[in-house]
Amino acid sequence: MRMPVLSWMICVIGLLSVAALWVVRPPVPTESPSQNVAGVTVGGPFSLIDQDGHTKTDKSWQGKYLILYFGFTHCPDVCPLGLNNITEALNALPEETVEKIQPVFITVDPLRDDVAALKNYVPLFHKKLVGLTGTEKQIEAVKTSYRVYAQKQGAGPNYMVNHSAFTYLIAPNGELLHAFPHNTAPSEMADAIKKFVGKN
Ligand code: NI
């Protein structure tokens, strides 16, 4: 089913406005993981539910690098593209690198994205992708700590969610290593991931 052009535009306009903020201080991959992205503190503890109904926290994947993406399953094309790019980037990396990485999708639309919705959605992308949802309060908290912008647009069951769409790469110690803008090509993402993850 084709989504209305207007809805698609709202999604894109939101992205552009948030992306514009980052253009001022572009996140650049650095040699040293101790250098944070533009000195911004991003991230923190969370406790959510995965697509199998199990509790997952920021400590559930000890020793792994996290690739975090926030979005919603009804997103017409921004989220599918972002998640496809992550999938392609992971597919371009050696298996021993992928072993050290856990890709995670966190919904910004907990009202519609329940466990069942995530169960249908995450298999469309990388086989390791985990989908997380929670209560509205839990999702608000995780959005705030990861500096994710997401705002419901429109009324009725077919509302859209205008949201930022960065792909975060987070070190095993919880430090944000890099925030990839939405238009990052999979090959570029794979190269940067290799640079950070390959070292350890
Ligand atoms: Ni989206």
Side-chain angles (χ1 to χ4, degrees):
M1 180 178 68
R2 295 285 301 172
M3 295 296 288
V5 171
L6 180 62
S7 303
W8 181 83
M9 283 177 67
I10 289 167
C11 209
V12 170
I13 288 164
L15 275 173
L16 291 176
S17 59
V18 176
L21 292 174
W22 282 73
V23 168
V24 180
R25 297 198 298 177
V28 174
T30 60
E31 287 299 328
S32 165
S34 65
Q35 281 182 267
N36 214 327
V37 174
V40 176
T41 303
V42 173
F46 59 79
S47 180
L48 298 168
I49 305 293
D50 73 9
Q51 74 276 10
D52 295 315
H54 301 134
T55 299
K56 288 282 188 295
T57 77
D58 54 300
K59 303 277 188 282
S60 289
W61 301 282
Q62 291 284 357
K64 304 272 187 194
Y65 289 78
L66 294 188
I67 290 181
L68 259 190
Y69 189 89
F70 289 80
F72 66 114
T73 68
H74 287 70
C75 188
D77 72 356
V78 171
C79 291
L81 179 62
L83 292 167
N84 259 320
N85 286 347
I86 292 168
T87 302
E88 284 187 35
L90 291 173
N91 286 341
L93 289 165
E95 191 53 45
E96 63 264 31
T97 305
V98 178
E99 293 256 310
K100 298 177 190 168
I101 298 171
Q102 179 58 56
V104 178
F105 170 79
I106 299 183
T107 184
V108 294
D109 184 15
L111 289 181
R112 289 183 300 195
D113 289 345
D114 56 9
V115 166
L118 293 175
K119 186 79 176 168
N120 287 329
Y121 192 67
V122 292
L124 300 174
F125 306 99
H126 194 270
K127 60 179 187 281
K128 288 183 76 172
L129 184 65
V130 165
L132 299 180
T133 187
T135 64
E136 283 181 90
K137 199 174 165 187
Q138 286 172 318
I139 295 297
E140 275 309 313
V142 75
K143 275 167 57 185
T144 301
S145 61
Y146 285 85
R147 296 183 178 237
V148 172
Y149 169 80
Q151 188 65 52
K152 198 172 154 181
Q153 298 282 330
N158 296 319
Y159 62 86
M160 292 290 293
V161 184
N162 186 359
H163 68 98
S164 54
F166 289 96
T167 296
Y168 292 129
L169 176 63
I170 296 167
N173 67 1
E175 181 187 8
L176 175 67
L177 296 174
H178 195 66
F180 298 96
H182 180 63
N183 59 358
T184 307
S187 58
E188 197 184 324
M189 194 181 287
D191 286 346
I193 291 170
K194 204 186 289 180
K195 200 163 139 190
F196 284 116
V197 179
K199 288 194 297 195
N200 299 315

Coordinates of all heavy atoms in Angstrom, one line a residue, residues 60-134:
S60 N 22.5 -6.2 28.3 CA 22.1 -7.5 27.9 C 23.2 -8.1 26.9 O 23.2 -9.3 26.7 CB 20.8 -7.6 27.2 OG 19.7 -7.4 28.1
W61 N 24.0 -7.2 26.3 CA 24.9 -7.7 25.3 C 26.3 -7.3 25.7 O 27.0 -6.6 25.1 CB 24.6 -7.2 23.9 CG 23.2 -7.6 23.5 CD1 22.8 -8.8 23.0 CD2 22.0 -6.7 23.5 NE1 21.5 -8.7 22.7 CE2 21.0 -7.5 23.0 CE3 21.8 -5.4 23.9 CZ2 19.7 -7.0 22.9 CZ3 20.5 -4.9 23.8 CH2 19.4 -5.7 23.3
Q62 N 26.7 -7.9 26.9 CA 28.0 -7.5 27.5 C 29.2 -7.8 26.5 O 29.2 -8.8 25.8 CB 28.3 -8.3 28.7 CG 27.4 -8.0 29.9 CD 27.8 -6.6 30.6 OE1 28.8 -6.0 30.2 NE2 27.0 -6.2 31.6
G63 N 30.0 -6.8 26.3 CA 31.2 -7.0 25.5 C 30.9 -6.7 24.0 O 31.8 -6.7 23.2
K64 N 29.7 -6.4 23.7 CA 29.3 -6.2 22.2 C 29.2 -4.7 22.0 O 28.9 -3.9 22.8 CB 28.0 -6.8 21.9 CG 27.9 -8.3 22.2 CD 28.3 -9.1 21.0 CE 28.0 -10.6 21.3 NZ 28.7 -11.5 20.4
Y65 N 29.5 -4.4 20.7 CA 29.2 -3.0 20.2 C 27.7 -3.0 19.8 O 27.2 -4.0 19.3 CB 30.0 -2.7 19.0 CG 31.5 -2.5 19.3 CD1 32.3 -3.6 19.5 CD2 32.0 -1.2 19.3 CE1 33.7 -3.4 19.8 CE2 33.4 -1.0 19.6 CZ 34.2 -2.1 19.9 OH 35.5 -1.9 20.2
L66 N 27.0 -2.0 20.1 CA 25.6 -1.9 19.7 C 25.5 -0.9 18.5 O 26.1 0.1 18.5 CB 24.8 -1.3 20.8 CG 24.6 -2.1 22.1 CD1 23.5 -1.5 23.0 CD2 24.2 -3.5 21.8
I67 N 24.7 -1.4 17.6 CA 24.2 -0.5 16.5 C 22.8 -0.2 16.8 O 22.0 -1.1 16.9 CB 24.4 -1.1 15.1 CG1 25.9 -1.1 14.8 CG2 23.6 -0.3 14.1 CD1 26.2 -1.7 13.4
L68 N 22.5 1.1 17.2 CA 21.2 1.4 17.6 C 20.5 2.3 16.6 O 21.0 3.3 16.1 CB 21.3 2.2 18.9 CG 21.0 1.6 20.3 CD1 20.9 2.7 21.3 CD2 19.7 0.8 20.2
Y69 N 19.2 1.9 16.3 CA 18.4 2.7 15.4 C 17.0 2.9 16.0 O 16.4 1.9 16.4 CB 18.3 2.0 14.0 CG 17.7 2.8 13.0 CD1 18.4 3.7 12.2 CD2 16.3 2.8 12.8 CE1 17.9 4.5 11.2 CE2 15.7 3.6 11.8 CZ 16.5 4.4 11.0 OH 15.9 5.2 10.1
F70 N 16.5 4.1 16.0 CA 15.2 4.4 16.5 C 14.3 4.7 15.4 O 14.6 5.5 14.5 CB 15.3 5.6 17.4 CG 16.0 5.4 18.7 CD1 17.4 5.4 18.8 CD2 15.2 5.2 19.9 CE1 18.0 5.2 20.0 CE2 15.9 5.0 21.1 CZ 17.3 5.0 21.2
G71 N 13.1 4.1 15.4 CA 12.1 4.4 14.3 C 10.8 3.7 14.7 O 10.5 3.5 15.8
F72 N 10.0 3.5 13.6 CA 8.7 2.9 13.9 C 8.3 2.0 12.7 O 8.7 2.3 11.5 CB 7.6 3.9 14.2 CG 7.2 4.9 13.1 CD1 6.0 4.8 12.5 CD2 8.1 5.8 12.6 CE1 5.6 5.7 11.5 CE2 7.8 6.7 11.6 CZ 6.5 6.6 11.1
T73 N 7.6 0.9 12.9 CA 7.4 -0.1 11.9 C 6.5 0.4 10.8 O 6.5 -0.1 9.7 CB 6.9 -1.4 12.4 OG1 5.5 -1.2 12.9 CG2 7.7 -1.9 13.6
H74 N 5.6 1.4 11.0 CA 4.8 2.0 10.0 C 5.5 3.0 9.1 O 4.9 3.6 8.2 CB 3.5 2.6 10.6 CG 2.5 1.6 11.1 ND1 2.8 0.9 12.3 CD2 1.3 1.2 10.7 CE1 1.7 0.1 12.5 NE2 0.8 0.3 11.6
C75 N 6.7 3.3 9.4 CA 7.4 4.3 8.7 C 7.5 3.9 7.2 O 8.0 2.8 6.9 CB 8.8 4.5 9.2 SG 9.8 5.8 8.5
P76 N 7.0 4.7 6.3 CA 6.9 4.3 4.9 C 8.3 4.0 4.2 O 8.4 3.0 3.4 CB 6.2 5.5 4.2 CG 6.4 6.6 5.1 CD 6.5 6.1 6.5
D77 N 9.3 4.8 4.4 CA 10.5 4.5 3.7 C 11.8 4.9 4.4 O 12.9 4.4 4.1 CB 10.5 4.9 2.3 CG 10.7 6.4 2.1 OD1 10.7 7.1 3.1 OD2 10.8 6.8 0.9
V78 N 11.7 5.8 5.4 CA 12.9 6.3 6.1 C 13.5 5.1 6.9 O 14.7 4.7 6.7 CB 12.7 7.5 6.9 CG1 13.9 7.8 7.8 CG2 12.3 8.7 6.0
C79 N 12.7 4.5 7.7 CA 13.2 3.4 8.6 C 13.6 2.2 7.7 O 14.7 1.6 8.0 CB 12.2 3.0 9.6 SG 12.0 4.3 10.9
P80 N 12.8 1.8 6.8 CA 13.2 0.6 6.0 C 14.6 0.9 5.3 O 15.4 0.0 5.2 CB 12.1 0.5 4.9 CG 10.9 1.0 5.6 CD 11.4 2.2 6.5
L81 N 14.8 2.1 4.8 CA 16.1 2.4 4.2 C 17.2 2.4 5.2 O 18.3 1.8 5.0 CB 16.0 3.8 3.5 CG 17.3 4.2 2.8 CD1 17.7 3.2 1.7 CD2 17.2 5.6 2.2
G82 N 17.0 3.0 6.3 CA 18.0 3.0 7.4 C 18.4 1.6 7.8 O 19.6 1.3 8.0
L83 N 17.4 0.8 8.0 CA 17.6 -0.6 8.5 C 18.2 -1.4 7.4 O 19.0 -2.3 7.7 CB 16.3 -1.2 9.0 CG 15.8 -0.5 10.3 CD1 14.4 -0.9 10.6 CD2 16.7 -0.9 11.5
N84 N 17.8 -1.1 6.2 CA 18.5 -1.8 5.0 C 20.0 -1.5 4.9 O 20.8 -2.3 4.7 CB 17.8 -1.4 3.7 CG 16.9 -2.5 3.3 OD1 17.1 -3.7 3.4 ND2 15.7 -2.1 2.7
N85 N 20.3 -0.2 5.2 CA 21.7 0.2 5.1 C 22.5 -0.4 6.2 O 23.6 -0.9 5.9 CB 21.8 1.8 5.2 CG 21.3 2.5 3.9 OD1 21.2 1.8 2.9 ND2 21.1 3.8 4.0
I86 N 21.9 -0.6 7.4 CA 22.6 -1.3 8.5 C 22.8 -2.7 8.1 O 23.9 -3.3 8.3 CB 21.8 -1.2 9.8 CG1 21.8 0.3 10.3 CG2 22.3 -2.1 10.8 CD1 20.8 0.5 11.4
T87 N 21.8 -3.3 7.5 CA 21.9 -4.7 7.1 C 23.0 -4.9 6.1 O 23.8 -5.8 6.2 CB 20.5 -5.2 6.5 OG1 19.5 -5.0 7.5 CG2 20.6 -6.6 6.1
E88 N 23.0 -4.0 5.1 CA 24.0 -4.1 4.0 C 25.4 -3.9 4.6 O 26.4 -4.5 4.2 CB 23.7 -3.2 2.9 CG 22.6 -3.6 2.0 CD 22.4 -2.7 0.8 OE1 23.5 -2.3 0.3 OE2 21.3 -2.5 0.4
A89 N 25.5 -2.9 5.5 CA 26.8 -2.7 6.1 C 27.3 -3.9 6.9 O 28.5 -4.3 6.7 CB 26.8 -1.5 7.1
L90 N 26.5 -4.5 7.6 CA 26.8 -5.7 8.4 C 27.2 -6.8 7.4 O 28.1 -7.6 7.7 CB 25.7 -6.1 9.4 CG 25.5 -5.2 10.5 CD1 24.3 -5.6 11.3 CD2 26.7 -5.1 11.5
N91 N 26.5 -7.0 6.4 CA 26.7 -8.0 5.4 C 28.1 -7.8 4.7 O 28.6 -8.8 4.1 CB 25.6 -8.1 4.4 CG 24.3 -8.8 5.0 OD1 24.4 -9.4 6.0 ND2 23.2 -8.5 4.4
A92 N 28.5 -6.6 4.7 CA 29.8 -6.3 4.0 C 31.0 -6.5 5.0 O 32.2 -6.4 4.5 CB 29.8 -4.8 3.5
L93 N 30.7 -6.8 6.2 CA 31.8 -6.9 7.2 C 32.2 -8.4 7.4 O 31.3 -9.3 7.3 CB 31.4 -6.3 8.6 CG 31.3 -4.8 8.6 CD1 30.5 -4.3 9.8 CD2 32.7 -4.2 8.6
P94 N 33.4 -8.7 7.8 CA 33.8 -10.0 8.1 C 33.0 -10.6 9.3 O 32.6 -9.8 10.2 CB 35.3 -10.0 8.5 CG 35.7 -8.6 8.3 CD 34.5 -7.7 8.0
E95 N 32.8 -11.9 9.2 CA 32.0 -12.5 10.3 C 32.5 -12.3 11.7 O 31.7 -12.1 12.6 CB 31.9 -14.0 10.0 CG 30.9 -14.8 10.8 CD 29.5 -14.2 10.8 OE1 29.0 -13.8 9.7 OE2 28.9 -14.1 11.9
E96 N 33.8 -12.2 11.8 CA 34.4 -12.0 13.2 C 34.1 -10.6 13.7 O 34.1 -10.4 14.9 CB 35.9 -12.3 13.2 CG 36.8 -11.4 12.3 CD 37.1 -12.1 11.0 OE1 36.2 -12.9 10.5 OE2 38.1 -11.8 10.4
T97 N 33.9 -9.7 12.8 CA 33.5 -8.3 13.2 C 32.0 -8.3 13.6 O 31.7 -7.8 14.6 CB 33.8 -7.3 12.1 OG1 35.2 -7.4 11.7 CG2 33.5 -5.9 12.6
V98 N 31.2 -8.9 12.8 CA 29.8 -9.0 13.0 C 29.5 -9.7 14.4 O 28.5 -9.3 15.1 CB 29.0 -9.6 11.9 CG1 27.5 -9.7 12.1 CG2 29.3 -8.9 10.6
E99 N 30.3 -10.6 14.7 CA 30.2 -11.4 16.0 C 30.2 -10.4 17.2 O 29.6 -10.7 18.2 CB 31.3 -12.3 16.2 CG 31.3 -13.5 15.2 CD 30.9 -14.8 15.8 OE1 31.4 -15.1 16.9 OE2 30.0 -15.4 15.2
K100 N 31.0 -9.3 17.0 CA 31.1 -8.4 18.1 C 30.1 -7.3 18.2 O 30.1 -6.4 19.0 CB 32.5 -7.7 18.0 CG 33.7 -8.6 18.1 CD 35.0 -7.8 17.8 CE 36.2 -8.7 17.6 NZ 37.3 -7.9 17.2
I101 N 29.1 -7.4 17.2 CA 28.1 -6.3 17.1 C 26.7 -6.8 17.3 O 26.3 -7.9 16.9 CB 28.2 -5.7 15.7 CG1 29.6 -5.1 15.4 CG2 27.1 -4.7 15.4 CD1 29.8 -4.7 14.0
Q102 N 25.9 -6.0 18.0 CA 24.5 -6.3 18.2 C 23.7 -5.2 17.6 O 23.7 -4.1 18.2 CB 24.1 -6.6 19.6 CG 22.6 -6.9 19.9 CD 22.1 -8.1 19.1 OE1 22.7 -9.2 19.2 NE2 21.1 -7.9 18.2
P103 N 23.0 -5.4 16.5 CA 22.1 -4.3 16.0 C 20.7 -4.3 16.7 O 20.2 -5.4 16.9 CB 21.9 -4.7 14.5 CG 22.2 -6.2 14.4 CD 23.1 -6.5 15.6
V104 N 20.3 -3.2 17.1 CA 19.1 -3.0 17.8 C 18.2 -1.9 17.3 O 18.7 -0.8 17.0 CB 19.4 -2.7 19.3 CG1 18.1 -2.5 20.1 CG2 20.2 -3.8 19.9
F105 N 16.9 -2.2 17.1 CA 15.9 -1.3 16.6 C 15.0 -1.0 17.8 O 14.5 -1.9 18.4 CB 15.1 -1.9 15.5 CG 13.9 -1.1 15.1 CD1 14.0 0.0 14.3 CD2 12.6 -1.5 15.5 CE1 12.8 0.7 13.9 CE2 11.5 -0.8 15.2 CZ 11.6 0.3 14.3
I106 N 14.9 0.3 18.2 CA 14.0 0.7 19.3 C 12.9 1.5 18.7 O 13.1 2.5 18.0 CB 14.8 1.5 20.4 CG1 15.9 0.7 21.0 CG2 13.8 2.0 21.5 CD1 16.7 1.3 22.1
T107 N 11.7 1.1 19.0 CA 10.5 1.8 18.4 C 10.3 3.2 19.2 O 10.5 3.3 20.4 CB 9.2 1.0 18.5 OG1 8.2 1.8 17.8 CG2 8.8 0.7 19.9
V108 N 9.9 4.2 18.4 CA 9.4 5.4 19.0 C 7.9 5.5 18.9 O 7.3 6.5 19.2 CB 10.1 6.6 18.2 CG1 11.6 6.7 18.4 CG2 9.7 6.6 16.7
D109 N 7.3 4.4 18.6 CA 5.8 4.3 18.5 C 5.3 3.1 19.3 O 4.8 2.1 18.7 CB 5.5 4.1 17.0 CG 4.0 4.1 16.7 OD1 3.2 4.5 17.5 OD2 3.7 3.7 15.5
P110 N 5.4 3.2 20.6 CA 5.1 2.0 21.4 C 3.6 1.6 21.4 O 3.2 0.5 21.6 CB 5.5 2.4 22.8 CG 5.5 3.9 22.8 CD 5.9 4.3 21.4
L111 N 2.8 2.6 21.0 CA 1.3 2.3 21.0 C 1.0 1.3 19.9 O 0.2 0.4 20.1 CB 0.5 3.6 20.7 CG 0.5 4.6 21.8 CD1 -0.4 5.8 21.4 CD2 -0.1 4.0 23.1
R112 N 1.6 1.4 18.7 CA 1.4 0.4 17.7 C 2.4 -0.7 17.6 O 2.1 -1.8 17.2 CB 1.3 1.1 16.3 CG 0.1 2.0 16.1 CD 0.0 2.6 14.7 NE 1.2 3.5 14.5 CZ 1.2 4.3 13.5 NH1 0.2 4.5 12.6 NH2 2.3 5.1 13.3
D113 N 3.6 -0.3 18.0 CA 4.7 -1.3 17.9 C 4.8 -2.2 19.1 O 5.7 -1.9 20.0 CB 6.0 -0.6 17.6 CG 6.1 -0.1 16.1 OD1 5.2 -0.5 15.3 OD2 7.0 0.7 15.8
D114 N 3.9 -3.1 19.2 CA 4.0 -4.1 20.4 C 4.9 -5.2 20.0 O 5.5 -5.2 18.9 CB 2.6 -4.5 20.8 CG 1.9 -5.2 19.6 OD1 2.5 -5.4 18.5 OD2 0.6 -5.5 19.8
V115 N 5.0 -6.2 20.9 CA 5.9 -7.3 20.6 C 5.6 -8.0 19.3 O 6.5 -8.3 18.5 CB 5.8 -8.3 21.8 CG1 6.5 -9.7 21.5 CG2 6.5 -7.7 23.1
A116 N 4.3 -8.2 19.0 CA 3.9 -8.9 17.8 C 4.3 -8.1 16.6 O 4.8 -8.7 15.6 CB 2.4 -9.1 17.8
A117 N 4.1 -6.8 16.6 CA 4.5 -6.0 15.4 C 6.0 -6.0 15.2 O 6.5 -6.2 14.0 CB 4.1 -4.5 15.7
L118 N 6.8 -6.0 16.3 CA 8.3 -6.2 16.1 C 8.6 -7.5 15.6 O 9.6 -7.7 14.8 CB 8.9 -5.9 17.5 CG 8.8 -4.5 18.0 CD1 9.5 -4.4 19.4 CD2 9.5 -3.5 17.0
K119 N 7.9 -8.5 16.0 CA 8.2 -9.9 15.6 C 8.0 -10.1 14.1 O 8.8 -10.8 13.5 CB 7.2 -10.9 16.4 CG 7.5 -12.3 16.1 CD 8.6 -12.8 17.0 CE 8.8 -14.3 16.8 NZ 10.1 -14.8 17.4
N120 N 7.1 -9.3 13.6 CA 6.9 -9.4 12.1 C 7.9 -8.5 11.4 O 8.2 -8.8 10.2 CB 5.5 -8.8 11.8 CG 4.4 -9.8 12.1 OD1 4.6 -11.0 12.1 ND2 3.2 -9.3 12.5
Y121 N 8.4 -7.5 12.0 CA 9.2 -6.5 11.4 C 10.7 -6.8 11.3 O 11.3 -6.7 10.2 CB 9.0 -5.1 12.1 CG 9.5 -3.9 11.3 CD1 9.0 -3.5 10.1 CD2 10.5 -3.2 11.8 CE1 9.4 -2.4 9.4 CE2 11.0 -2.0 11.2 CZ 10.5 -1.7 10.0 OH 10.9 -0.6 9.3
V122 N 11.3 -7.2 12.4 CA 12.7 -7.3 12.4 C 13.3 -8.4 11.5 O 14.4 -8.2 11.0 CB 13.3 -7.5 13.9 CG1 13.2 -6.2 14.7 CG2 12.8 -8.6 14.6
P123 N 12.6 -9.5 11.2 CA 13.1 -10.4 10.3 C 13.3 -9.9 8.9 O 13.9 -10.6 8.0 CB 12.1 -11.6 10.3 CG 11.4 -11.4 11.6 CD 11.3 -9.9 11.8
L124 N 12.7 -8.8 8.6 CA 12.8 -8.2 7.2 C 14.2 -7.7 7.0 O 14.6 -7.4 5.9 CB 11.8 -7.0 7.0 CG 10.3 -7.4 7.2 CD1 9.5 -6.1 7.1 CD2 9.9 -8.3 6.1
F125 N 15.0 -7.5 8.1 CA 16.3 -6.9 8.0 C 17.4 -7.9 8.4 O 17.2 -9.1 8.2 CB 16.3 -5.6 8.8 CG 15.2 -4.7 8.3 CD1 14.0 -4.6 9.0 CD2 15.3 -4.0 7.1 CE1 13.0 -3.8 8.6 CE2 14.3 -3.2 6.7 CZ 13.1 -3.1 7.4
H126 N 18.5 -7.5 9.0 CA 19.6 -8.4 9.4 C 19.1 -9.4 10.4 O 18.3 -9.2 11.3 CB 20.7 -7.6 9.9 CG 22.0 -8.4 10.0 ND1 22.3 -9.1 11.1 CD2 23.0 -8.6 9.1 CE1 23.5 -9.7 10.9 NE2 23.9 -9.4 9.6
K127 N 19.7 -10.6 10.2 CA 19.2 -11.8 11.0 C 19.5 -11.6 12.5 O 18.8 -12.2 13.4 CB 19.8 -13.1 10.5 CG 21.3 -13.1 10.6 CD 21.9 -14.5 10.1 CE 23.4 -14.6 10.3 NZ 24.1 -13.9 9.2
K128 N 20.5 -10.7 12.8 CA 20.8 -10.5 14.2 C 19.9 -9.3 14.8 O 20.0 -9.0 16.0 CB 22.3 -10.1 14.4 CG 23.2 -11.3 14.2 CD 24.6 -10.9 14.5 CE 24.9 -10.7 16.0 NZ 26.4 -10.5 16.2
L129 N 19.2 -8.6 14.0 CA 18.5 -7.4 14.5 C 17.5 -7.8 15.6 O 16.6 -8.7 15.4 CB 17.7 -6.7 13.3 CG 17.0 -5.4 13.7 CD1 18.0 -4.3 14.1 CD2 16.2 -4.9 12.5
V130 N 17.5 -7.1 16.7 CA 16.6 -7.2 17.8 C 15.7 -6.0 17.8 O 16.2 -4.8 17.6 CB 17.4 -7.4 19.1 CG1 16.4 -7.1 20.3 CG2 18.0 -8.7 19.2
G131 N 14.4 -6.1 18.0 CA 13.5 -5.0 18.1 C 13.1 -4.8 19.5 O 12.8 -5.8 20.2
L132 N 13.0 -3.6 20.0 CA 12.6 -3.3 21.4 C 11.5 -2.4 21.5 O 11.4 -1.4 20.7 CB 13.8 -2.7 22.2 CG 15.1 -3.6 22.3 CD1 16.2 -2.8 23.1 CD2 14.8 -4.9 22.9
T133 N 10.6 -2.7 22.4 CA 9.5 -1.8 22.7 C 9.3 -1.7 24.2 O 10.0 -2.3 25.0 CB 8.2 -2.2 22.0 OG1 7.2 -1.2 22.2 CG2 7.7 -3.6 22.6
G134 N 8.4 -0.8 24.6 CA 8.1 -0.7 26.1 C 6.9 0.2 26.3 O 6.1 0.4 25.3

